[in-house]
Amino acid sequence: MEPHGALRLVLGDQLSPNLSALSDLDIERDVILMAEVHDEATYVRHHKQKIALIFSAMRSFAEALQARGATVRYVAIDDAANRHAIVAELERALADQPFGSVVITECGEWRLAQALAGFAAAAPVPVEIREDTRFICGHDRFRRWASGKSQLTMEFFYREMRRETGLLMDGGRPVGGRWNFDTENRRKLARGVTVPDRLRIAPDEIARRAIDDVERLFPDHLGRLESFGWPTTAAQAEAVLAAFLADILPGFGTWQDAMAEGEPWMWHGLISTSMNLGLIDPLDACHRAEAEYRAGRAPLNAVEGFIRQILGWREFMRGIYWLKVPEYRLRNHLDADRELPWFYWSGETAMACVADVVTQTQAHAYAHHIQRLMVTGNLAMLLGVHPDLVDDWYMVVFADAYEWVEMPNTRGMATFADGGIAGSKPYAASGAYINRMSDYCGGCRYDVKAREGPDACPFNRLYWGFLERNRGRLRDNHRLAMPYRTLDGWDEDRRRAVVAEAEACRTELGAVPRA
Ligand code: FAD
Ligand code: DLZ
Ligand code: SF4
């Protein structure tokens, strides 16, 4: 028998007892390494709530492991010996004590995966990097599905995952006779409907200390900490999930795309932070949502919509990321080259929709899907903001952001920088969409009906110019045939005028050419 135990790495978003790196843990001999390091806390200037969430969840997880009798080498952020990089901490652990091997679960971001692969190649002991089995679709399975396809369509991937997991299936057929109930999930919040109160988690002792550490050590990062309400343990995450399934899920479908001023949560799950850390198991969440439908407590449009987000979109996005990275990180199909306007950081803009999303993001490190896609994402695309700057913003401001899920959503879904890998068309929309799905426009200084001039809604001023500017790249996209037919019906002068209008708007909003 090898005389020394294994060193097992657990990263900040690998906080699951069933982590593959821990599956054969020898509690007597092995050591689990967890490290709070500056490199991870600052490779983008994460929102303060994200760092507090991760540090406090890591500390709670370490305590739980120790309570089971495991030995944890826990390196705190203010430990004087801390070398502040994951690989450097692995090397320091190996130098301090003999180990027979190192066991790692693959990490979620390409940049750190590269560093860990470099470490594995040079390490003085064998290093085993295991697959992250917490996802429903493994890498090989996704590659097999994607192989030979000219277009990767989420809907078809999702159907295969439904068949394979048996979720919402009656034998070989989808429950309710249809795979997708999205057409029933597009309602604006009706007058008189009250948005439900939500379970938020008051910080426990460990979280309070992590919050203090973040305030002390990362004072100039974005965001506020006094409104911190994220679960930091599996038990807290379970409470949030259970409350969602019992009280909120029935309305999830109907109001899925709706937005309302001052209402950050709507009927959303508030579970991505927990699921991405490993505090909630995605397949379990899907099974439990299905059970709500089977018991007659939640309608099919809600349950199917919820399961599709996790089994479909979440797994699909991860599959795309690992299939296409690192080349994916450089994609800029629309040659977008503008700066990100300052109001994305400050929230100081007369655009009521953008101000609301940015302000809530500062307070909660959260925006729901339609806000991310159709407000901040859509605007960044219409303005032609460089994708690196868009990625950086999304990675900074959201507590659930990791490149494997953030990047296919921004570079793919929201801005079409990937040229049609994650989605088949740009989700470009004028102010009419936001007006249809929200109450923002009523209180806005801009006129959502006007198309041009300084008082017109900027989404309107930008929309046609965006299409005309990108004619060469988008004209053949059959899903944009209608708006291009409209543009084609205009004379040259009018087409030039919409480009000039969009240009003026880009400059006025601060989307100037990148320095
Ligand atoms: P709900 O609306 O309740 O949905 C349930 C779950 O479905 C989510 O928790 C999430 O795990 C999953 N899900 C839903 N949509 C997606 C999607 N498009 N991709 C992947 N998973 C999805 N999600 C992240 O977890 N991290 C990110 O960094 C992130 N960046 C995004 C950037 C953009 C531009 C867009 C359009 C979406 C992004 N999303 C991201 C997806 C989605 O917006 C969030 O997962 C969701 O808002 C989280 O809130 P919730 O838990 O209340 O979600
Ligand atoms: C996001 C994050 C932060 C802020 N801090 C740490 C940390 O100090 N230690 C750690 O192990 N992980 C941290 N993480 C999560 C990692 O960045 C994450 O594991 C990689 O980005 C891969 O998804
Ligand atoms: Fe947003 Fe335009 Fe509506 Fe104002 S008018 S809230 S900018 S969509």
Side-chain angles (χ1 to χ4, degrees):
M1 188 168 83
E2 163 62 46
H4 305 296
L7 178 66
R8 296 173 186 270
L9 177 68
V10 173
L11 292 166
D13 55 354
Q14 298 184 336
L15 310 180
S16 316
N18 65 344
L19 191 73
S20 57
L22 299 178
S23 64
D24 49 354
L25 175 72
D26 182 335
I27 216 130
E28 303 298 329
R29 299 189 320 145
D30 294 351
V31 173
I32 298 165
L33 172 64
M34 299 180 72
E36 299 171 1
V37 293
H38 268 281
D39 269 15
E40 293 308 308
T42 58
Y43 72 92
V44 296
R45 291 166 63 81
H46 308 281
H47 194 295
K48 286 177 186 169
Q49 287 198 20
K50 182 177 178 190
I51 306 178
L53 167 65
I54 289 175
F55 285 2
S56 86
M58 285 175 72
R59 293 172 192 183
S60 293
F61 189 70
E63 267 198 15
L65 289 170
Q66 281 159 340
R68 276 173 46 202
T71 305
V72 181
R73 179 184 166 109
Y74 195 93
V75 184
I77 190 74
D78 50 7
D79 184 329
N82 192 331
R83 289 200 192 155
H84 289 298
I86 296 294
V87 166
E89 279 307 311
L90 282 163
E91 288 166 351
R92 189 163 72 90
L94 288 181
D96 283 356
Q97 187 184 334
F99 288 101
S101 65
V102 177
V103 183
I104 297 174
T105 292
E106 60 174 334
C107 74
E109 296 189 349
W110 181 81
R111 73 179 166 89
L112 186 57
Q114 289 298 103
L116 290 171
F119 163 77
V125 294
V127 178
E128 188 188 348
I129 300 183
R130 297 182 178 168
E131 179 151 8
D132 190 343
T133 51
R134 298 172 303 164
F135 289 89
I136 302 167
C137 179
H139 296 305
D140 284 351
R141 179 68 191 94
F142 192 85
R143 266 187 223 108
R144 247 186 301 126
W145 173 77
S147 164
K149 292 188 173 61
S150 56
Q151 175 73 50
L152 304 178
T153 305
M154 195 291 293
E155 181 64 26
F156 298 129
F157 167 77
Y158 166 60
R159 291 179 192 181
E160 289 222 8
M161 290 297 106
R162 288 269 298 274
R163 285 195 197 93
E164 276 181 26
T165 57
L167 280 161
L168 289 181
M169 297 297 291
D170 278 340
R173 299 167 56 81
V175 168
R178 271 157 57 197
W179 292 101
N180 183 316
F181 289 79
D182 221 14
T183 48
E184 291 162 37
N185 293 353
R186 293 183 185 146
R187 284 185 56 192
K188 179 179 185 158
L189 192 59
R191 246 181 244 287
V193 176
T194 313
V195 179
D197 286 339
R198 301 307 294 273
L199 175 63
R200 301 284 289 154
I201 303 290
D204 59 18
E205 177 61 32
I206 292 179
R208 277 203 301 276
R209 263 186 277 126
I211 287 171
D212 289 346
D213 288 347
V214 171
E215 202 63 279
R216 184 167 49 85
L217 297 168
F218 305 94
D220 50 357
H221 280 224
L222 177 119
R224 303 209 309 271
L225 281 160
E226 67 275 10
S227 41
F228 186 96
W230 298 110
T232 58
T233 67
Q236 293 169 4
E238 166 57 28
V240 169
L241 177 63
F244 168 76
L245 293 171
D247 303 328
I248 311 296
L249 176 64
F252 175 88
T254 306
W255 313 118
Q256 195 178 346
D257 287 359
M259 299 178 276
E261 173 120 44
E263 296 288 356
W265 321 122
M266 302 298 278
W267 280 259
H268 292 277
L270 319 186
I271 54 172
S272 54
T273 53
S274 304
M275 204 142 49
N276 294 351
L277 290 183
L279 305 178
I280 290 178
D281 180 66
L283 191 56
D284 176 61
C286 292
H287 280 300
R288 288 170 62 188
E290 174 171 12
E292 293 301 303
Y293 166 70
R294 300 272 184 195
R297 291 189 294 261
L300 188 52
N301 70 313
V303 172
E304 188 282 313
F306 179 73
I307 289 177
R308 177 159 25 91
Q309 303 314 308
I310 297 173
L311 180 67
W313 281 112
R314 186 170 189 268
E315 296 290 326
F316 182 72
M317 290 311 201
R318 176 179 185 255
I320 297 271
Y321 177 75
W322 285 110
L323 193 67
K324 299 293 179 185
V325 79
E327 182 264 344
Y328 199 81
R329 304 167 100 241
L330 303 173
R331 286 197 161 238
N332 185 4
H333 181 68
L334 301 181
D335 289 329
D337 62 352
R338 297 300 170 105
E339 293 287 354
L340 185 77
W342 182 247
F343 58 72
Y344 270 80
W345 302 109
S346 69
E348 286 162 8
T349 168
M351 303 172 76
C353 54
V354 178
D356 189 55
V357 176
V358 174
T359 311
Q360 95 175 40
T361 299
Q362 289 168 340
H364 301 300
Y366 177 87
H368 63 73
H369 186 70
I370 287 298
Q371 294 176 314
R372 297 187 203 198
L373 183 66
M374 300 310 293
V375 178
T376 47
N378 180 26
L379 182 64
M381 176 171 63
L382 296 179
L383 288 169
V385 178
H386 192 284
D388 288 353
L389 304 180
V390 181
D391 272 329
D392 179 65
W393 186 78
Y394 277 90
M395 283 297 296
V396 167
V397 304
F398 294 119
D400 61 16
Y402 300 89
E403 198 175 277
W404 64 266
V405 54
E406 172 275 336
M407 192 170 276
N409 270 298
T410 50
R411 231 166 253 251
M413 189 116 99
T415 65
F416 209 66
D418 75 357
I421 295 174
S424 53
K425 67 156 192 172
Y427 282 87
S430 68
Y433 177 87
I434 294 172
N435 195 27
R436 191 161 66 245
M437 297 311 301
S438 78
D439 61 358
Y440 286 134
C441 302
C444 185
R445 164 227 179 290
Y446 294 107
D447 179 356
V448 74
K449 302 278 183 223
R451 280 188 178 189
E452 52 198 34
D455 294 330
C457 167
F459 286 89
N460 297 349
R461 296 180 72 194
L462 292 164
Y463 177 76
W464 292 107
F466 164 80
L467 288 177
E468 187 57 23
R469 189 169 76 237
N470 288 295
R471 174 178 281 275
R473 302 173 188 97
L474 299 177
R475 178 67 186 93
D476 293 336
N477 186 313
H478 69 277
R479 298 193 62 191
L480 294 175
M482 249 193 359
Y484 274 108
R485 260 201 304 277
T486 303
L487 266 178
D488 293 345
W490 296 351
D491 62 27
E492 184 83 23
D493 284 351
R494 190 164 174 198
R495 290 213 301 270
R496 238 184 264 129
V498 292
V499 172
E501 181 70 25
E503 231 22 75
C505 186
R506 290 166 98 189
T507 307
E508 284 163 36
L509 293 182
V512 292
R514 214 173 156 207

